[in-house]
Amino acid sequence: MKEIIKLSDVVVDYYRNGNTVRAVAGVDLTLNSGEILGLVGESGCGKSTLGKAIVGILQPSQGEITFDGQVVKKLTRGQRPSHFRNLQMIFQDPYGSLNPRRKIGVQIADGLLVAGMSKKNALAKAEDLLEKVGLPRAAISRFPHQFSGGQRQRISIARALAASPTAIIADEPISALDTSSQAQVANLLVKLVEEFKMGMIFVSHDLSIVRRISDRVAVMYLGKIVEIGTVDQIWNNPSHPYTKALISAIPHADGNSFMPKDLPGDVPNPLSPPTGCRFHPRCQLAKPDCRISEPRLVRLSDNRDVACVLQNAGTSPNSISLD
Ligand code: SF4
């Protein structure tokens, strides 16, 4: 598999009421072609901010993002349009990302027209793309309000595909949809990643969907990646106490979802993150050292990185009951 996206120590700051908030606090991550990487974490952990930095909507304050072998911040003005065509983003709100006054065929064709395709060919390709995402070709001449939420998200996906991207960042793409549309759109994304041989970062707080569609999963907490692994590694043998708590919070098929008692309190304010390990105020396995030194991601095995002193010391938190 070819590496498409590489993040090295990426930091994203934003400014609020005169204060600097470090939303992303030094992230290393890779995405390979043909792969779906799930990016999970509680609300406010920085995952959407990270997605926006990857596609260039936000500028990293530090660190480096490489896309298709090129360092993004070193792209020339002439190289940037093709970069942005090759790296597309799908947003949570499909209605907000479509212009309500323009027919959807024209909106899908926009990127093709910019790339120099004739209007006739661009509209024909838009019809093909509508078919690919499960909508009738005749839908080309309708307006966004004439579709359901799930259909509008399919239109957003068709528009992203129009540029034949190398990678897509999908930011909570199904969370605004009803339950049946969620499954359909998630399945559609899996099929298209395979068919178009793209890579996709799937940002979501819905762990059940992430488990079903992802190849690898990165767990984010307060601006940091605390664990990365394959789906099987993360679900069958979570190594970071936060990952373990998240997994335990997945609603069960019998409907008896439960709040994990091993994850007390809320995510701390990113304006003043805890010292040492950012998770220590909520971690029932925290040791005195955890308040002082910040653990780095350590390679445990192939595809498996964890940031926790217990792993560094060779002690698995799984061997200690959190109940
Ligand atoms: Fe818990 Fe310490 Fe590991 Fe952080 S480093 S997750 S506080 S045990």
Side-chain angles (χ1 to χ4, degrees):
M1 280 195 294
K2 183 183 161 207
E3 185 179 277
I4 311 172
I5 294 175
K6 181 174 169 59
L7 273 60
S8 305
D9 198 23
V10 168
V11 170
V12 183
D13 294 327
Y14 64 88
Y15 302 94
R16 190 167 66 197
N17 301 330
N19 296 304
T20 302
V21 180
R22 183 146 290 186
V24 176
V27 164
D28 298 315
L29 206 61
T30 57
L31 176 72
N32 300 309
S33 59
E35 159 181 79
I36 297 179
L37 174 69
L39 181 59
V40 302
E42 290 165 284
S43 179
C45 71
K47 54 192 190 301
S48 289
T49 303
L50 183 61
K52 287 180 183 137
I54 294 172
V55 294
I57 294 172
L58 296 172
Q59 292 305 314
S61 323
Q62 293 175 41
E64 194 168 89
I65 298 175
T66 306
F67 177 68
D68 240 352
Q70 289 185 297
V71 178
V72 174
K73 68 183 172 195
K74 291 184 182 165
L75 291 174
T76 63
R77 189 173 286 194
Q79 290 171 318
R80 293 184 80 79
S82 103
H83 165 75
F84 288 116
R85 274 200 301 279
N86 290 335
L87 181 54
Q88 294 283 318
M89 188 157 192
I90 299 169
F91 296 91
Q92 177 178 357
D93 176 9
Y95 198 63
S97 61
L98 293 168
N99 185 332
R101 293 196 201 90
R102 298 179 74 214
K103 291 178 181 172
I104 59 151
V106 187
Q107 298 196 55
I108 294 169
D110 269 346
L112 300 163
L113 294 169
V114 169
M117 194 178 276
S118 71
K119 187 168 181 185
K120 186 178 164 205
N121 288 346
L123 289 173
K125 175 102 189 264
E127 285 185 354
D128 292 344
L129 288 166
L130 280 173
E131 210 166 40
K132 281 230 179 286
V133 298
L135 291 172
R137 299 177 77 88
I140 194 171
S141 52
R142 293 192 212 142
F143 291 90
H145 73 268
Q146 295 176 282
F147 297 90
S148 68
Q151 289 172 326
R152 284 197 288 264
Q153 195 57 292
R154 288 170 186 265
I155 294 165
S156 299
I157 293 167
R159 192 175 55 177
L161 290 175
S164 301
T166 313
I168 286 184
I169 311 298
D171 184 11
E172 300 274 8
I174 59 169
S175 58
L177 309 181
D178 59 61
T179 313
S180 66
S181 297
Q182 285 186 346
Q184 289 169 7
V185 171
N187 291 342
L188 173 66
L189 287 169
V190 173
K191 179 174 146 270
L192 294 172
V193 164
E194 204 176 312
E195 185 177 338
F196 285 75
K197 300 190 179 2
M198 302 178 290
M200 180 167 73
I201 296 181
F202 186 86
V203 180
S204 180
H205 64 272
D206 185 335
L207 296 179
S208 303
I209 293 276
V210 168
R211 180 183 191 180
R212 197 156 62 73
I213 73 167
S214 303
D215 299 293
R216 286 189 303 136
V217 177
V219 181
M220 198 164 179
Y221 184 78
L222 206 59
K224 295 259 183 194
I225 301 294
V226 296
E227 183 163 4
I228 307 176
T230 64
V231 167
D232 285 346
Q233 287 167 338
I234 295 289
W235 260 268
N236 297 337
N237 186 24
S239 286
H240 194 282
Y242 179 60
T243 311
K244 190 170 182 180
L246 275 187
I247 300 291
S248 74
I250 296 175
H252 287 263
D254 62 7
N256 296 323
S257 63
F258 58 95
M259 282 300 292
K261 51 185 178 289
D262 44 330
L263 188 55
D266 297 320
V267 179
N269 188 341
L271 260 176
S272 50
T275 57
C277 173
R278 293 168 172 235
F279 187 56
H280 86 252
R282 302 172 80 192
C283 181
Q284 296 189 8
L285 302 177
K287 297 167 177 294
D289 271 1
C290 298
R291 293 166 175 76
I292 301 164
S293 48
E294 185 163 32
R296 296 186 63 81
L297 272 177
V298 171
R299 173 69 33 121
L300 289 189
S301 59
D302 278 357
N303 291 316
R304 188 69 177 286
D305 298 310
V306 182
C308 171
V309 292
L310 297 181
Q311 294 301 335
N312 295 357
T315 312
S316 168
N318 294 312
S319 63
I320 305 168
S321 172
L322 298 180
D323 296 334

